[in-house]
Each structure stands twice: as C-alpha cells, then as structure tokens.
Amino acid sequence: MRESEISYIAGLFDGEGSIYYAKRPEKKKKHKGKGHRVALTQRINMEVTMTDPLVINWLRETLKVGTVTKKPRKGLRKDGTKYLMQYRWRCVFRDAYFVCCLIYPYSITKLEKVKQILDHYQQVEDNKKVVDLESYRLTKSFNTNLYGA
C-alpha cells in the first residue's frame, strides 16, 4: 500500500469515520440456569459511512479487511426528497488493530482512540494472551495425526 493511500484513509477516518473502544461490564445470559452474569467485555470497531459506494468499496479493496453493508435511511427530507442510500465499511478487533497501525502516523482528530486500541493490543501481546492461528492449526494437526483422533 502506498503512503498516499494510507494518509488518505487516515483522512477519511478523521472526517467521516468513527472509532469505538470500550471496556465495561455487561450483563450476559448464563450458560446454564436462569438469570444473568456480569462480565467485563470489550468493544473495538471502526467504521466509515458515506453515500458514495465507490469510496467505500475502494477502502475495502485497499485494506483487504472489514465488511461493506448498505444502510438505508427511512423517511423524507424537509424538501420531500428521499435520503440517499448510505454505505458502511466496518471492521472489528484485530482488523481494527491492523488499520490503526497503518493510520497512526497520519491521524489527528481520532488519534486518542487509535492510541487506545494500539495500547490495548500491545498489552495483550506483552501478556502472551494471543495464540498465532497458524501455529495453533499446525499443533492441532500434529496432535490429531499423532493420536489418531
């Protein structure tokens, strides 16, 4: 990816995007029995919503992460015309971390949220809480072949 593309993406996020990072307790259903339990949950996502599908699709193709969805608007404007269709590109968790790593040097208005996501994943990696998916698959494959299961 070219530097000009990365800086343009950072500008898109600063102007049209949103970055959400929260760590808070939430009620969750119990797996067994009735009632709820309280668990500390994390929400990490990034999105850009626009009426121009070309820009949103370019963002998805360039970053190679996230999803694109249509976000229809109901009702009419004050002048009686229909709202334009909105298109949303969205990514979560590790994909958001990847995007934050790219746009960090160019971010201005969203810089604090970008730093929060980068700091969160740095702590996770320092604590060795992340398993490399390829290593896990290799280990699983090795164990299956070894024990014949």
Side-chain angles (χ1 to χ4, degrees), residues 91-106:
C91 71
V92 296
F93 298 106
R94 282 287 178 171
D95 290 341
Y97 173 63
F98 165 73
V99 175
C100 285
C101 288
L102 289 175
I103 68 172
Y104 172 74
Y106 306 99

Side-chain angles (χ1 to χ4, degrees), residues 67-96:
T67 58
V68 174
T69 56
K70 290 182 179 181
K71 187 178 171 187
R73 300 269 322 261
K74 295 181 181 176
L76 300 174
R77 296 183 184 145
K78 288 183 181 180
D79 64 1
T81 59
K82 291 177 72 174
Y83 286 106
L84 295 174
M85 176 66 72
Q86 291 184 341
Y87 299 89
R88 177 176 68 180
W89 172 88
R90 182 174 185 261
C91 71
V92 296
F93 298 106
R94 282 287 178 171
D95 290 341

Side-chain angles (χ1 to χ4, degrees), residues 7-136:
S7 61
Y8 180 77
I9 292 168
L12 273 177
F13 274 100
D14 278 348
E16 298 289 330
S18 72
I19 300 174
Y20 185 72
Y21 173 82
K23 191 184 286 190
R24 64 176 185 259
E26 287 184 0
K27 283 186 177 182
K28 302 218 176 217
K29 289 184 179 180
K30 288 187 177 180
H31 294 288
K32 295 180 181 178
K34 295 181 180 179
H36 293 87
R37 61 186 169 86
V38 176
L40 187 65
T41 61
Q42 297 172 9
R43 302 279 182 226
I44 299 172
N45 74 44
M46 301 175 76
E47 66 180 54
V48 175
T49 303
M50 300 177 77
T51 58
D52 187 354
L54 295 176
V55 174
I56 295 297
N57 289 325
W58 174 85
L59 187 62
R60 167 68 178 99
E61 290 169 9
T62 303
L63 292 173
K64 303 203 183 337
V65 296
T67 58
V68 174
T69 56
K70 290 182 179 181
K71 187 178 171 187
R73 300 269 322 261
K74 295 181 181 176
L76 300 174
R77 296 183 184 145
K78 288 183 181 180
D79 64 1
T81 59
K82 291 177 72 174
Y83 286 106
L84 295 174
M85 176 66 72
Q86 291 184 341
Y87 299 89
R88 177 176 68 180
W89 172 88
R90 182 174 185 261
C91 71
V92 296
F93 298 106
R94 282 287 178 171
D95 290 341
Y97 173 63
F98 165 73
V99 175
C100 285
C101 288
L102 289 175
I103 68 172
Y104 172 74
Y106 306 99
S107 293
I108 298 172
T109 61
K110 303 288 193 290
L111 185 59
E112 287 306 312
K113 287 293 183 180
V114 169
K115 284 181 182 178
Q116 284 181 332
I117 294 171
L118 294 176
D119 290 344
H120 167 74
Y121 279 105
Q122 187 60 50
Q123 290 173 359
V124 169
E125 289 176 359
D126 289 347
N127 291 335
K128 306 283 188 233
K129 291 184 180 178
V130 176
V131 176
D132 179 46
L133 190 57
E134 290 304 316
S135 299
Y136 174 77

